[in-house]
Amino acid sequence: MSSLSRELVFLILQFLDEEKFKETVHRLEQESGFFFNMRYFEEMVTNGEWDEVEKYLSGFTKVDDNRYSMKIFFEIRKQKYLEALDKKDRAKAVEILVKDLKVFSAFNEDLFKEITQLLTLENFRDNEQLSKYGDTKSARSIMLGELKKLIEANPLFRDKLNFPSLKNSRLRTLINQSLNWQHQLCKNPKPNPDIKTLFVDHSCGQSQPNGARAPSPVTNPLMGSVPKPAGFPPLGAHGPFQPGPAPLPTSLAGWMANPSPVPHPSVSAGPIGFTPPNNAALLKRPRTPPSNNPAVDYQTADSEHVLKRTRTFGISDEQVNHMPVNILPVGYIGQSHGQSSYSSDDLPKAVVMTLNQGSLVKSMDFHPVQQILLLVGSNNGEIMIWELGSKEKLAHKNFKVWDLSVCSMPLQASLTNDNTASINRVTWSPDGTLFGVAYSKHIVQIYSYHGGDDLRNHLEIEAHGGSVNDLAFSYPNKQLCIVTCGEDRLIKVWDAVTGAKQYTFEGHEAPVYSVCPHFKENIQFIFSTATDGKIKAWLYDNMGSRVDYDAPGHSSTTMAYSADGTRLFSCGTNKEGDSYIVEWNESEGAVKRTYNGLGKRSAEVVQFDTTKNRFLAAGDEFMVKFWDMDNVNLLTTIDAEGGLLASPCIRFNKEGILLAVSTNDNGIKILANPDGIRLLRTMENRPFDASRVASASVVKNGDNRSQIDVKPRIVDESMEKSRIWKLTEISEPAQCRFLRLPDNTSSAMRVSRLIYTNSGLAILALAANAVHKLWKWQRNDRNSTGKATANVIPQLWQPTSGILMTNDISDTNPEDAVPCFALSKNDSYVMSASGGKISLFNMMTFKTMTTFMAPPPAATFLAFHPQDNNIIAIGMEDSSIQIYNVRVDEVKTKLKGHHKRITGLAFSNVLNVLVSSGADSQLCVWNTNGWEKQTNKHLQIPAGRVAAPLADTRVQFHQDQTHLLAVHETQIAIYEAPKLESPKQWFPPETSGLITHATYSCDSQSIFVGFEDGSVGILTATTLRLRCRISSTAYLPSNPNLRVHPLVIAAHPSEADQFALGLSDGGVCVVEPLESEGKWGTSPPLENGAGPSNTSGVAASTTDQGQR
């Protein structure tokens, strides 16, 4: 239980005590085990209430927990035994001896025999050791003194003997603050609000149970005279406190506030903190800091951008008191590039190709990683995968039941009469390795896709009676699942690996038309819609639906979230043909806005999609209609040069730069914006790289379009086998694009750490003097995406306050320290250290949110847990790794296995391991479930080379979360986790000097390597062969006296050929290939045995060191 949950128990204990619920107070003390009431214990012992004494103790310890506990219970039972003997009640004494004292015979048989012999004495005081036993009262008093000493010494009672210092009626005060806050948020606040109940939120609306009344001289006693707070601690309904299932509430806020706990792997991408409408009223996390830690003020970014904030599902402005409390506030994902930066010019409106499907298109979905792959399902049961770069069909399947013998009789009979089925839905899994097909007859089929035409049967499930109307993937309980719905009015959840049915949800009174799985924070849930217009919501339990709403016009409806998961939309068409596209107020279950422009009397259900967190699109009246999410009026329409269906099927790719639309001649038109056109031109006539799909990373998320956008990376191998391969050498500035980032600061300290923000819009550097620098690219005509590029000069960004993000350096010299930092997933916060305390900075304001963990030892590497942003792995100077929970401010465990400082940490959320590397050239693998060490390996140093005593070793996982890149000054190595056996290795030529740093490209197809001589090498990751070498003369001024070289390399998060260099002279350079080239050289073909030239290093080796 979290520390805030403990604090809530103490508040309840105080309230019960003030209200004189004495028995209930002590029952809660015992059941919670949080506070041992010594005064109550003394009363019971003094009164000889032995059964109650033991019952109360049982909430804190058992007989055999430790020697202190055993002694406590023995003294109590011995006293009870002696009192029975003193009363001459031998029968009672024998009963106590057998039932209570015999347990101790196993530990001290002689003592038990001696106690038993007391039964033979007329007066037990005849025993020499008991000769001084007085009367009962004095004996209990003496024993009580002994018991208090034992309890105070018992570690199980530590921190449980003192009740926290609280102001009187603290719980009442918090409720008053909450009610005042709710009243402030009323749209039309009225004087003297009449608070009649705490069971629903207060509102001044006339029809509300907690409405306002006419002015009265009597003030509600609960409200008291508490002034309006500037900010108050929110009590999270699902963050710190975990309530059980509740009766069916009437709003989304209600059912989300009372879920059954559902664990989820990834909570960091969701909203954790928030900014109230008044920016001065910033929320603070209620927390009593430890004595060695200053008061912590966890605030959200105080910027106007944050006012358009990410919402927690089911939370409205009127219900902010339910906002979860968490230690790392997360602002709006698009803080630094707000929604207003998009225009209608970003919409894909130009027709760039037409695909001949040959049958009526029913459903489409773009691949989540390879964004030029389009999956299509037709009305005749055909499945096709198109590769848009070449306009080729990569794979094709006709409808066929894989195993008719296991099908039900109704399905067999249906197939006998008509051996065809239409497709209702096709969709990719979040990582693109699977896709699902829902048919109009009973079944769903799941295929595994391995690239090219390699399509394999994975699962066939007879899911529903009649038509399977929809299918989606979700990730409850850390497990990939398939959610289906059908004509039989049911929703079902299936294990995506085994096909086992996990849940069946009943409650709809009409066929279920669609499902929309989603998650907010750590809550996984499913929306379902039926053909009668009913909308229901389900948690992954068996407690029934949590809400019951009506879709506009009682229409058959589909629901979808914006890409960042913060806004909910639906689009549907009713039996009369009226169509509706709306945005929902999740907290109230009410329509927030209805968009204008849809036609009337549609023959089919209108389909829609969302993109860029900004636009909506729907296929209606033989065209595609677009809306800005914040404007109910049509933004624009396009007819795609004619030939569209009346209600065409539409689908954006993940970046929103391509749009597929079905046509009336059984084809598909592909529309693109300028970025999409460039992407397709780049891919034209290039062979498709199937390995990109086969090794796609497993994304544990229910939304396969909410991940970091990574543009497809196509490896352009030579098609001519006989052609002689040559290493690409770049030595002139004209041979590449490079940009030294502007820096008007006086500091020229070397760059120690460098990273792109996850959005790709900025670069953050940490210099050796403990100061951070942030460069941001602006969106303009030359840079339509606003992403980092060498073509446009960025701005060295500073807040208006002019403050710098400077790490604590304590008494250390920062130049001698080992700096480290880690960036939050939404780019709002950075955790950083430069030999002193670890600092948490707000990236918008540069303010220091808190500092913690003063040295020694100093932190040398930081890594966020991929599934819980509150867990941080901290590598230390003393060679240990501390697993630190920032929420409760405590070290969960310390990992020891290295002999020198920690220089690298990498999590795999597929293998559930943490890999650490140290200056001892050793790699260790730790299981993240129990934090035990699984294996360790020492790097194999090549013969003739000696590693420096404190050489850094870095580790990084491949996109597949299995292959591990290890970077050492003497080599590049790739291991397969978790066993770390038989590594591939690459050793640089001595002419290049030692390796200074290296990193995977964003698609893990390349490795960028920096060297002491200033050069940069690009390796093909799969073969560890050098394909391109960039000399320092290509990006540095020709001054031989400077001896500048890259100390750190960072890869752009979505541009596979862009990287940035942090230099020894304090500069930062962005480097890209020429637009005419588009990539860094070509890989040497394996067929002709071509290897690196003499200047490029030795070839990769997969043999053991002994064989080399």
Side-chain angles (χ1 to χ4, degrees), residues 264 430 473-475 517-519 524 699-704 706-707:
H264 182 260
F473 288 92
S474 68
Y475 239 114
H518 196 59
F519 73 93
Q524 289 268 2
V699 181
K700 295 199 172 185
N701 194 314
D703 184 352
N704 66 355
S706 63
Q707 309 307 311

Side-chain angles (χ1 to χ4, degrees), residues 369-403:
V369 179
Q370 286 274 16
Q371 294 192 62
I372 56 170
L373 292 189
L374 180 65
L375 172 65
V376 183
S378 301
N379 68 335
N380 63 357
E382 281 186 323
I383 310 161
M384 289 188 186
I385 298 177
W386 292 88
E387 201 272 316
L388 302 185
S390 61
K391 306 178 187 178
E392 292 181 2
K393 293 179 186 176
L394 294 182
H396 174 248
K397 290 279 186 181
N398 291 315
F399 172 70
K400 181 182 179 182
V401 176
W402 301 343
D403 190 353

